[in-house]
Amino acid sequence: MNGLFQQYLQQASQHIDNVLQNDHFSLHEREIGRLIRVSSGVASVSGLPNTKAMELLRFENGIMGIAFNLDPDEIGVILLGEDTELMAGSRVERSGRVIDIPVGHALLGRVIDSLGQPLDNSGSLQAGSRWPIERDARPIIERAPVSAPLQTGIKVIDALIPIGRGQRQLILGDRQTGKTAIAIDTVLNQHDKNMICIYCAIGQRGSAVAKVIQHLKKHDALKYSMVLVATGESTPGLLYIAPYAATSIGEWFMEQGHDVLIIYDDLTRHAHAYRELSLLLRRPPGREAYPGDIFYLHSRLLERATHLKQKYGGGSLTALPIIETQAQNLSAYIPTNLISITDGQVYLSPVLFQKGELPAVDVGKSVSRVGGKAQLPSYLDISGPLRLSYSQFEELETFARFGTRLDEATRQNIERGRRVRETLKQDESRALNVFEQIMILLAVNAGLFDPLPIAKVKKAGLQLCSAVADRFVSQQHKIYNGERLTAEEKDQLLDFARSVLRTEDLITSRF
Ligand code: ATP
Ligand code: MG
């Protein structure tokens, strides 16, 4: 009998040792609760009175959940896995930690889910450390003004709605208007710009995400990017945490001094997932049935994008959140929220898309509040007056549609504006560098395209780009070093453009 008791004691102490080694808690702190009910990605748990907000809870079958609603006798939990195997009455344990994600250089080129598990077939992740997905935004005192441009390679954006590194620029528009295309083209254009890109897909179809990944691979862009995916089939919990997880990964790179670009595609689906969770957990619904803290949800996410002072590493995190509008309604709840949180927006119009004016950017409804200050000076010289003259042209054109008789100067203005619009058209995956853009804008401003029929202008611009590619090395050097071009240098460029357009005999043939 004594021997049996000794054996029992030994087993018990072995068990206690195991528990102490494997858990963050010492035994007396360990708390075990019970699952009361579970449905559609949320659960209610009782018996864990000391649980902290956003703490991870572990269910019996290994599924994790986030403590979300902390009521005195019951905790509302967001589940991070499938709930099919959970049963009422089963055990739930506190983990003592908040949810985190692997960070580090090992993530480049990888495709992961919101929990940091690899979704590609490139083996396990050897990330150095893990960071919590919710982190405080950097204090204002550590931030520097946006001062360097982020070149998208898309003329209409770089010239009229320029984006700076550290800026938050919203891309919004109805479905199928080219929102993802703009974001992905921007990623492709970063191939030689020392930028790390993160594409965070939220709530899209798996096939659409696979297409994006394939596109990035084809253009060899995955080597400086990574993709974090929570598809439409994922639980709402995984959709909810996806952008925060992606931002923590971006912040890690930023704090190493890198420039980072992060794309959230799209936050409408993120808001939907959060609304679903909140309603299931019986939080009171407000406007459009969203919970009261929906604004805070996105502002605390986007506030983490910034440009750090040199003293703090000098890195930057530029955010391009994407939003889908319904029937061009910019004043719906989520679009207005995001417009007020971000530093500007690129609005894509389905009307322009149908007309074939691609990218379908509606310049009148788009704005960039900080990027203009970050443009390269020689580029700013040329693109600066363009925005005003372009919007004046659009008004004139609308007016002229009523069959008004126009004087010669106005007619010329309209003809020039039409050619500017034509030069701003650009195909997908056909990014232009700053020098090529300067060349085209100089030429159109100087009226070199005026003799051409409109249908030939776009091709003439491209012809000019390919002719100019390896020339004017000293001017290119100056442009990229942030120096202004002198009047003589601009004249040299224009003379060259004239000769190209003349020798190509654009008016008669070839285009
Ligand atoms: P969704 O609402 O489904 O997410 P979206 O707004 O992200 O759509 P995209 O998928 O980027 O739109 O683009 C829609 C279609 O338009 C695609 O077939 C894309 O190839 C085409 N497209 C987008 N931009 C251009 C462009 N500049 N030139 C030619 N085609 C384009
Ligand atoms: Mg899209």
Side-chain angles (χ1 to χ4, degrees):
M1 186 68 191
N2 211 4
L4 263 180
F5 185 64
Q6 284 293 336
Q7 203 180 344
Y8 171 75
L9 269 185
Q10 213 171 357
Q11 276 176 358
S13 85
Q14 182 75 42
H15 180 70
I16 290 170
D17 281 350
N18 283 347
V19 168
L20 288 179
Q21 270 173 17
N22 294 337
D23 219 303
H24 292 262
F25 281 112
S26 61
L27 195 64
H28 66 274
E29 275 177 325
R30 192 182 170 102
E31 285 179 20
I32 298 187
R34 294 279 160 207
L35 180 62
I36 307 174
R37 73 184 90 83
V38 56
S39 69
S40 317
V42 299
S44 296
V45 170
S46 69
L48 296 176
N50 296 320
T51 306
K52 299 190 173 75
M54 304 306 282
E55 183 174 339
L56 271 182
L57 302 180
R58 196 181 300 118
F59 291 83
E60 219 165 64
N61 60 355
I63 284 184
M64 305 296 268
I66 305 172
F68 195 57
N69 274 6
L70 300 181
D71 294 332
D73 46 350
E74 189 174 309
I75 296 170
V77 183
I78 298 175
L79 295 175
L80 298 175
E82 289 300 330
D83 55 16
T84 41
E85 286 171 28
L86 291 178
M87 282 196 294
S90 58
R91 274 161 40 122
V92 189
E93 287 172 34
R94 281 182 62 192
S95 71
R97 59 191 182 96
V98 291
I99 184 158
D100 51 19
I101 184 95
V103 293
H105 285 290
L107 283 153
L108 286 181
R110 301 302 300 264
V111 181
I112 60 168
D113 69 6
S114 313
L115 298 171
Q117 288 157 352
L119 296 175
D120 46 12
N121 294 324
S122 313
S124 62
L125 258 178
Q126 306 295 332
S129 52
R130 300 182 71 91
W131 271 18
I133 64 164
E134 290 262 16
R135 302 179 74 238
D136 284 341
R138 298 298 290 255
I140 291 172
I141 204 82
E142 294 180 9
R143 299 179 183 216
V146 169
S147 55
L150 179 130
Q151 304 292 349
T152 62
I154 303 169
K155 273 169 289 176
V156 61
I157 297 185
D158 287 347
L160 303 176
I161 321 150
I163 305 175
R165 295 186 179 197
Q167 184 173 345
R168 299 151 304 168
Q169 183 79 1
L170 179 66
I171 300 175
L172 80 169
D174 282 11
R175 54 177 299 281
Q176 288 289 303
T177 46
K179 304 184 292 296
T180 305
I182 286 196
I184 296 301
D185 281 356
T186 308
V187 170
L188 300 189
N189 195 42
Q190 307 308 316
H191 62 96
D192 56 351
K193 306 209 165 41
N194 236 339
M195 176 85 79
I196 286 168
C197 306
I198 300 174
Y199 179 73
C200 176
I202 311 164
Q204 298 182 42
R205 279 172 291 115
S207 59
V209 183
K211 216 171 109 189
V212 169
I213 296 171
Q214 206 50 43
H215 192 61
L216 291 175
K217 268 194 190 147
K218 194 173 122 201
H219 290 86
D220 210 15
L222 257 190
K223 61 174 192 269
Y224 56 85
S225 336
M226 62 131 325
V227 180
L228 191 145
V229 185
T231 61
E233 296 94 62
S234 310
T235 60
L238 290 177
L239 292 177
Y240 162 59
I241 62 171
Y244 298 100
T247 310
S248 283
I249 295 170
E251 275 177 336
W252 185 87
F253 283 111
M254 173 175 78
E255 296 198 2
Q256 310 299 309
H258 291 287
D259 287 317
V260 186
L261 167 69
I262 185 161
I263 293 153
Y264 308 104
D265 193 3
D266 61 52
L267 288 186
T268 324
R269 314 261 160 96
H270 183 241
H272 288 171
Y274 190 67
R275 174 169 65 182
E276 186 179 332
L277 290 168
S278 302
L279 290 174
L280 285 167
L281 289 168
R282 298 178 191 286
R283 289 196 172 184
R287 186 174 156 192
E288 291 182 23
Y290 287 105
D293 62 343
I294 191 84
F295 185 91
Y296 177 54
L297 180 81
H298 289 145
S299 61
R300 76 171 190 263
L301 173 72
L302 293 170
E303 201 51 48
R304 288 163 73 180
T306 187
H307 179 202
L308 292 178
K309 280 184 183 159
Q310 215 54 44
K311 203 164 111 190
Y312 300 96
S316 71
L317 183 65
T318 313
L320 294 183
I322 296 178
I323 278 284
E324 185 182 303
T325 50
Q326 305 283 329
Q328 306 182 52
N329 182 8
L330 289 184
S331 53
Y333 192 27
I334 301 297
T336 41
N337 275 357
L338 273 140
I339 285 173
S340 64
I341 293 168
T342 46
D343 304 306
Q345 76 267 359
V346 175
Y347 175 65
L348 298 171
S349 150
V351 179
L352 295 180
F353 194 90
Q354 277 154 17
K355 279 195 208 160
E357 286 181 21
L358 297 173
V361 176
D362 184 332
V363 176
K365 289 185 180 148
S366 304
V367 64
S368 172
R369 296 192 191 92
V370 290
K373 297 185 194 83
Q375 270 181 319
L376 292 170
S378 45
Y379 191 83
L380 187 63
D381 278 349
I382 295 158
S383 68
L386 199 65
R387 191 183 160 87
L388 183 65
S389 60
Y390 190 71
S391 36
Q392 280 170 349
F393 147 71
E394 282 190 321
E395 266 184 32
L396 264 182
E397 199 191 30
T398 324
F399 186 62
R401 248 186 242 135
F402 298 116
T404 336
R405 278 181 62 85
L406 302 168
D407 60 272
E408 185 54 22
T410 317
R411 202 190 58 76
Q412 273 180 7
N413 263 346
I414 291 181
E415 285 301 313
R416 173 72 56 82
R418 285 190 179 137
R419 279 161 181 79
V420 171
R421 179 162 62 204
E422 206 56 28
T423 51
L424 291 179
K425 285 186 187 169
Q426 199 164 335
D427 290 339
E428 213 178 348
S429 316
R430 182 66 184 87
L432 294 178
N433 64 36
V434 179
F435 183 57
E436 290 169 330
Q437 295 190 27
I438 285 185
M439 203 63 206
I440 292 185
L441 295 180
L442 256 184
V444 72
N445 277 347
L448 298 196
F449 293 130
D450 287 357
L452 295 183
I454 291 201
K456 290 183 178 176
V457 170
K458 186 175 158 199
K459 268 194 166 175
L462 289 177
Q463 196 77 12
L464 192 55
C465 286
S466 51
V468 86
D470 314 319
R471 292 165 185 264
F472 300 106
V473 181
S474 69
Q475 276 95 329
Q476 292 203 33
H477 207 68
K478 269 182 107 172
I479 291 170
Y480 292 117
N481 280 338
E483 291 171 46
R484 288 203 146 77
L485 290 182
T486 59
E488 294 88 69
E489 281 164 333
K490 283 188 201 161
D491 284 343
Q492 282 170 4
L493 293 179
L494 277 175
D495 285 344
F496 178 75
R498 258 185 220 107
S499 67
V500 170
L501 295 177
R502 205 177 304 125
T503 52
E504 294 297 341
D505 196 14
L506 287 159
I507 301 172
T508 52
S509 63
R510 306 234 350 214
F511 286 97

